[in-house]
Amino acid sequence: MESRSSDPRGRWTLLGFVGLGLILYGPSLGIGYLSDDFLYLAALEEGFGPLLGHLTVDSNPRMIRPLSAIGWLLSPVPGGAGLQHLLSLFLHVAAAWLVFRLVASRGPADGGSPSRQATLCGLLFLACPLLTEPVLWLSAAPDLWATGLALGAVALLRFATPFGLFGSVFLFAGALLAKESVVVLPLIVLCWWLAERDSLPAGRLVFASGVLGAAAATYLIGRWWLFGGLGGYLDASGRSIAAGFDLVTYLRNLGLQLPWRLLMPWKRSGVWWLPVAGLSVGLLAWLGVRARLWRVLTQSGDRRRFFYLVAAFGASTLPVAPVLSVDVDHGGGRLIYFPLAVGLVGCGRLLGALPERDRRAVTAPLVVLLLGWMVALSANTRSWRAAGREVGETLDHLQANASQWSPGTTVWVDGHDSWHGAYVWRNGFDFALRRVGLEPRRPWRLGTLARAPEALADGSLGRSVFQIARVADGEWADRTECYRALAAVAGPPLAQFEVGANLAVHEFEVRVDGGLPAVAVFVRSEDPVSGHLWWLHDGIPRFNPTERRAFRSDLQRPGVLALPAVSGQGDYLRIGLELAPESTGAVSGVEVVAAPPACGRS
């Protein structure tokens, strides 16, 4: 390995990785800060200590990730957001490069130089279209740090020196302080050795697995002492969500959902899902035939290798098993960042063990797959750029128009929690206002008047309470009259639905006229209720939080609840209603009606 690492071809390959990374993600480096990023910035404004506290003892979810504070130290520098995004990109390139090196270091069976398949596996990780979230959302940077350091720790184990082992443990400790999801690395190393034990030094790697395992155990003990348990995400009762782990859901998401997302790498593929999935299946079949992968089932050595490489991938998903899910808009992509790196290393080693003829034969299918993923990735980054524009334009608009609102006025700003899988505001609205010098909550509120139905009843709407919305890039509209009209909407509903008792989530499909300007949704309830409404236009394969609004019922007019207008596009809408736990069972039905003309004007 030492001699190959100095090969000039390796340096050119590294430059190629960097260049491709800049081509794929370069247009998105200027998106700035989004959603939860503003919470980290607010903590840093109080000092480095509060930032570390936000990443450790004062964290929610409960975590120990102080290493990721390094990136946030760039924020006070001029152009700090761009520098942080550039750092994230280089961390992603480094992780992809390490995927390549870990495949190449195994080498082909005949001992030749690093194969094309090693390079292609690294490039596939670099261009994977499911990974826009960890690369472009700065709050997800811990996944980049942890994965890169963990892969680097494995790479150092190849050096038969005390420095290699010491360096490996040091990098692994850093990875654990970046994110806990790599705690299973010792088990992964052991699985990789079992898969390749005929060609790798047994004593050193087994010993190294034990040393890394001791480091992982020390980390887990410290975490238990600090949090009084595993920490992580907590449920409503304050327990770790790991206590409610559902094995069936985990296996379904791992065995069905994740492969389906890889077959359908475009966000919101819509009516194109069938040809895209068909092409993906055909490409994988082509790859399997060219590599003659049926050999795995017929030769004991290949079966053993395949089993342990799959076991390594399965082990990499265990820390995120309770929350493992990637929705149709690739929300949750950060959860599979480390597992996909492990999986591609395994795929590369499986292909690298093939005879020379078979290795050459799989190059063409892998190149086609890479090109397809590059196109899909370029499309998937658009939503993050749109999220960046919404945040930037919203802050600019509020700064420019702050003087027109009197101190006693409340202005509701219609903004997205997420947009096509890109987090826009989430928990960061008030912190973002504070960062640009606007005092939060005076008079600004994020959301719609569906969260303040009392304004429809007490006459304050249009006098001291207003609704504004960003209707297009750079265009804003006053939607106050829309909500005033919604309060008096009448006429037969487009659709009515009964709601089953004791269910928190409900989905409905509504036929609409393609020319209909807007629809409104009303919830029938005898008691106050609250929750979220989601909706999708036709052509989307499944319901997801592309459009998401919070609501609560009108305490003075129980049984009638006006929700935000929905632009009519296409022939039907798919609507989802999620009720808060205390509201489950309180709703008897839902009505969808044509909204008044005032709601259709921009």
Side-chain angles (χ1 to χ4, degrees):
M1 178 173 176
E2 291 84 344
S3 62
R4 285 199 296 266
S5 64
S6 61
D7 190 334
R9 289 178 299 176
R11 292 193 290 271
W12 283 110
T13 304
L14 176 59
L15 290 176
F17 273 67
V18 173
L20 182 61
L22 289 172
I23 291 172
L24 294 174
Y25 284 103
S28 303
L29 294 179
I31 62 177
Y33 297 116
L34 303 172
S35 60
D36 292 21
D37 296 348
F38 292 105
L39 279 67
Y40 292 97
L41 296 173
L44 182 59
E45 288 178 359
E46 299 177 15
F48 187 66
L51 175 62
L52 286 179
H54 188 69
L55 292 165
T56 52
V57 293
D58 298 326
S59 57
N60 184 21
R62 310 295 280 161
M63 58 187 179
I64 306 175
R65 303 175 185 174
L67 192 68
S68 59
I70 294 174
W72 296 108
L73 296 179
L74 294 172
S75 61
V77 178
L83 291 175
Q84 283 184 259
H85 281 289
L86 189 62
L87 174 61
S88 291
L89 173 57
F90 284 141
L91 288 172
H92 181 50
V93 170
W97 169 256
L98 286 167
V99 169
F100 156 69
R101 290 308 310 170
L102 289 177
V103 177
S105 63
R106 165 61 177 82
D110 59 3
S113 61
S115 65
R116 297 186 185 94
Q117 287 69 48
T119 304
L120 288 170
C121 285
L123 292 176
L124 283 169
F125 184 74
L126 179 64
C128 182
L130 272 61
L131 301 181
T132 56
E133 179 182 286
V135 180
L136 294 178
W137 188 34
L138 295 176
S139 295
D143 291 275
L144 306 177
W145 286 100
T147 299
L149 290 171
L151 296 179
V154 178
L156 284 183
L157 290 178
R158 299 286 173 162
F159 292 93
T161 63
F163 167 79
L165 180 59
F166 174 79
S168 178
V169 174
F170 180 78
L171 291 184
F172 180 48
L176 290 173
L177 294 178
K179 191 170 182 180
E180 60 283 350
S181 57
V182 297
V183 71
V184 292
L185 185 66
L187 182 57
I188 293 169
V189 171
L190 184 61
C191 288
W192 280 347
W193 170 74
L194 289 170
E196 311 283 357
R197 63 175 180 261
D198 294 336
S199 57
L200 297 179
R204 187 170 79 245
L205 287 181
V206 172
F207 176 73
S209 295
V211 174
L212 295 178
T218 302
Y219 169 81
L220 291 174
I221 292 171
R223 187 182 180 93
W224 192 280
W225 174 81
L226 184 62
F227 297 136
L230 291 175
Y233 289 96
L234 306 178
D235 60 19
S237 64
R239 296 186 309 163
S240 171
I241 61 172
F245 171 63
D246 186 342
L247 179 61
V248 174
T249 300
Y250 162 69
L251 293 176
R252 182 181 67 242
N253 290 344
L254 182 63
L256 296 176
Q257 186 194 69
L258 180 56
W260 179 249
R261 296 289 177 259
L262 292 170
L263 291 174
M264 291 286 299
W266 274 267
K267 292 183 178 183
R268 297 165 50 84
S269 299
V271 296
W272 297 103
W273 72 267
L274 184 59
V276 171
L279 287 173
S280 297
V281 170
L283 180 60
L284 292 178
W286 182 26
L287 177 62
V289 171
R290 297 283 285 178
R292 297 194 291 179
L293 292 181
W294 58 82
R295 287 162 44 92
V296 171
L297 303 176
T298 59
Q299 298 187 17
S300 60
D302 291 333
R303 282 200 304 269
R304 184 202 67 204
R305 180 179 293 109
F306 177 78
F307 172 81
Y308 285 116
L309 291 175
V310 170
F313 171 72
S316 70
T317 68
L318 293 178
V320 296
V323 292
L324 181 64
S325 180
V326 180
D327 70 27
V328 72
D329 279 340
H330 299 176
R334 65 190 185 280
L335 302 174
I336 61 170
Y337 190 80
F338 179 59
L340 278 184
V342 173
L344 280 169
V345 170
C347 289
R349 291 186 169 184
L350 192 64
L351 295 174
L354 297 173
E356 174 67 18
R357 183 184 63 179
D358 294 341
R359 291 201 309 274
R360 292 181 182 276
V362 300
T363 300
L366 289 176
V367 169
V368 173
L369 179 62
L370 174 62
L371 293 175
W373 278 14
M374 289 168 59
V375 173
L377 176 63
S378 297
N380 292 347
T381 57
R382 294 174 188 167
S383 61
W384 291 95
R385 294 195 291 274
R389 288 194 300 271
E390 177 173 338
V391 169
E393 290 183 8
T394 299
L395 296 177
D396 290 344
H397 181 80
L398 298 185
Q399 283 182 287
N401 295 276
S403 60
Q404 78 177 74
W405 308 108
S406 61
T409 299
T410 298
V411 181
W412 287 86
V413 182
D414 190 358
H416 293 97
D417 269 358
S418 64
W419 176 247
H420 297 183
Y423 301 117
V424 183
W425 289 113
R426 294 226 312 179
N427 306 309
F429 184 72
D430 290 345
F431 297 96
L433 294 183
R434 184 186 307 164
R435 181 172 174 79
V436 298
L438 294 172
E439 189 173 357
R441 298 191 174 277
R442 292 186 182 179
W444 319 108
R445 302 286 192 279
L446 178 66
T448 70
L449 287 168
R451 302 182 68 178
E454 63 275 6
L456 301 174
D458 62 14
S460 60
L461 186 61
R463 292 188 293 109
S464 59
V465 178
F466 297 87
Q467 176 78 66
I468 63 174
R470 176 178 174 268
V471 295
D473 285 355
E475 297 182 25
W476 287 79
D478 188 327
R479 305 302 297 271
T480 307
E481 288 303 315
C482 167
Y483 282 86
R484 195 198 304 273
L486 279 174
V489 68
L494 297 171
Q496 300 182 73
F497 304 96
E498 298 300 319
V499 174
N502 300 321
L503 291 177
V505 179
H506 310 272
E507 298 183 38
F508 317 101
E509 191 172 289
V510 182
R511 293 286 305 181
V512 296
D513 184 349
L516 191 67
V519 300
V521 181
F522 293 84
V523 176
R524 297 198 306 270
S525 173
E526 297 300 324
D527 299 301
V529 295
S530 61
H532 287 87
L533 177 82
W534 296 322
W535 64 87
L536 290 173
H537 300 295
D538 59 349
I540 307 304
R542 55 158 291 206
F543 146 97
N544 65 94
T546 292
E547 294 276 9
R548 185 174 185 267
R549 297 292 188 274
F551 70 83
R552 63 186 180 89
S553 67
D554 185 345
L555 300 180
Q556 300 184 25
R557 301 173 61 206
V560 180
L561 172 63
L563 290 172
V566 184
S567 301
Q569 301 175 6
D571 297 325
Y572 66 85
L573 290 170
R574 189 169 294 141
I575 296 173
L577 179 70
E578 181 184 43
L579 298 174
E582 62 273 13
S583 301
T584 301
V587 174
S588 59
V590 172
E591 293 182 359
V592 182
V593 302
C599 293
R601 294 197 300 265
S602 299

